[in-house]
Amino acid sequence: MTTESLTFRSDVTVELVKSSASDADVLFAARVSTAGEQSLDEVKKDPERSKGLINYLMRDRHGSPFEHNSMTFFISAPIFVFREFMRHRVGWSYNEESGRYRELQPVFYVPDASRKLVQQGRPGKYVFVEGTPAQHETVSHALRDSYEQAYAAYQKLLAEGVAREVARSVLPVGLYSSMYATCNARSLMHFLGLRTQHELAKVPSFPQREIEMVGEKMEAEWAKLMPLTYAAFNANGRVAP
């Protein structure tokens, strides 16, 4: 196994593969409280006429109307991102590729020059700052060497007939995996509130950059589907209702 046989990435993939999500979904769910079956009329109306209601629901944290929608994303990212991602359990469904059932591909994460490398301060009160060119070079070489050795060991075990579910134990969390993740707007807002930094956020968050990259791409897709809900989310401090 040589370095040329491995693929190194510094990005993430997020694709919206399926959705049933619009601002109208929020409105008919909210108006059933007072209009009953007549709330179905909201499906045919222009949601722009009721953006004040959406903002009210967001502001006063009436959250359930934001659950009547669905978005499914295909995501490719390092395994360590998924292990953080799957701490989000309420309103999420996941299916990830399995190292028990397929031979895992040699695609690994190596941060690019934009990734801040140095942590300054103590837990709960720290910042990340730029690394030096020498530090970036050291990180790149160390990761590539480690990945090459790990994947060579993985291939050796497979060649000797060791089960995939055992052989995969030698692989690092910098290996890329892929999954489908399905959520609704409310669960996505909770995710974004914790996993992205934003100037409009009332509550500060300190996400790892790699999961923030995933969050930013998901946010861009959601903003196109539900622009009024997205605007209300930002206007009310990016706190999930």
Side-chain angles (χ1 to χ4, degrees):
M1 178 63 61
T2 64
T3 301
E4 289 73 23
S5 304
L6 277 61
T7 299
F8 302 113
R9 294 178 58 182
S10 60
D11 63 334
V12 297
T13 297
V14 176
E15 298 178 16
L16 179 67
V17 298
K18 182 180 178 182
S19 66
S20 175
S22 71
D23 292 314
D25 298 333
V26 180
L27 295 171
F28 75 71
R31 288 214 159 102
V32 73
S33 298
T34 56
E37 67 279 1
Q38 294 179 2
S39 60
L40 289 172
D41 294 340
E42 292 298 328
V43 177
K44 302 173 185 177
K45 293 180 180 178
D46 180 6
E48 185 73 29
R49 295 171 53 194
S50 300
K51 62 182 179 181
L53 174 57
I54 292 176
N55 189 72
Y56 159 74
L57 295 170
M58 190 77 69
R59 184 195 69 206
D60 285 13
R61 305 192 72 182
H62 296 290
S64 58
F66 297 100
E67 297 176 3
H68 295 270
N69 55 82
S70 178
M71 294 164 278
T72 297
F73 298 90
F74 175 78
I75 303 169
S76 177
I79 287 174
F80 66 81
V81 170
F82 287 174
R83 297 305 163 260
E84 284 196 339
F85 206 123
M86 291 174 182
R87 294 186 64 80
H88 296 266
R89 299 179 295 277
V90 178
W92 288 91
S93 298
Y94 303 107
N95 281 95
E96 184 182 357
E97 69 175 279
S98 173
R100 297 184 67 193
Y101 302 120
R102 66 168 302 195
E103 181 177 331
L104 298 172
Q105 300 304 298
V107 183
F108 295 93
Y109 176 72
V110 176
D112 63 20
S114 68
R115 177 53 159 102
K116 295 179 179 179
L117 293 182
V118 179
Q119 180 179 326
Q120 293 181 344
R122 55 183 172 80
K125 193 176 182 180
Y126 60 83
V127 295
F128 284 89
V129 298
E130 305 291 341
T132 66
Q135 286 172 323
H136 276 283
E137 185 174 359
T138 298
V139 168
S140 179
H141 283 304
L143 289 176
R144 289 168 186 257
D145 289 346
S146 176
Y147 294 152
E148 183 177 354
Q149 293 175 32
Y151 200 76
Y154 176 64
Q155 291 287 295
K156 183 176 186 296
L157 291 172
L158 293 178
E160 294 185 7
V162 175
R164 288 184 291 266
E165 65 184 47
V166 176
R168 64 179 174 173
S169 301
V170 301
L171 295 172
V173 294
L175 180 78
Y176 273 71
S177 185
S178 60
M179 72 171 179
Y180 289 103
T182 299
C183 64
N184 58 57
R186 190 183 192 185
S187 53
L188 180 57
M189 284 186 278
H190 182 260
F191 177 89
L192 295 174
L194 291 173
R195 302 299 182 178
T196 61
Q197 287 187 322
H198 199 283
E199 61 182 4
L200 297 177
K202 286 182 180 177
V203 181
S205 184
F206 305 95
Q208 183 161 340
R209 176 55 189 155
E210 289 76 15
I211 196 170
E212 184 178 37
M213 290 160 58
V214 173
E216 289 169 348
K217 289 178 178 290
M218 297 175 75
E219 181 172 342
E221 295 292 343
W222 171 55
K224 291 183 284 187
L225 294 172
M226 303 178 72
L228 300 180
T229 302
Y230 179 64
F233 175 59
N234 282 318
N236 290 279
R238 294 176 65 89
V239 176

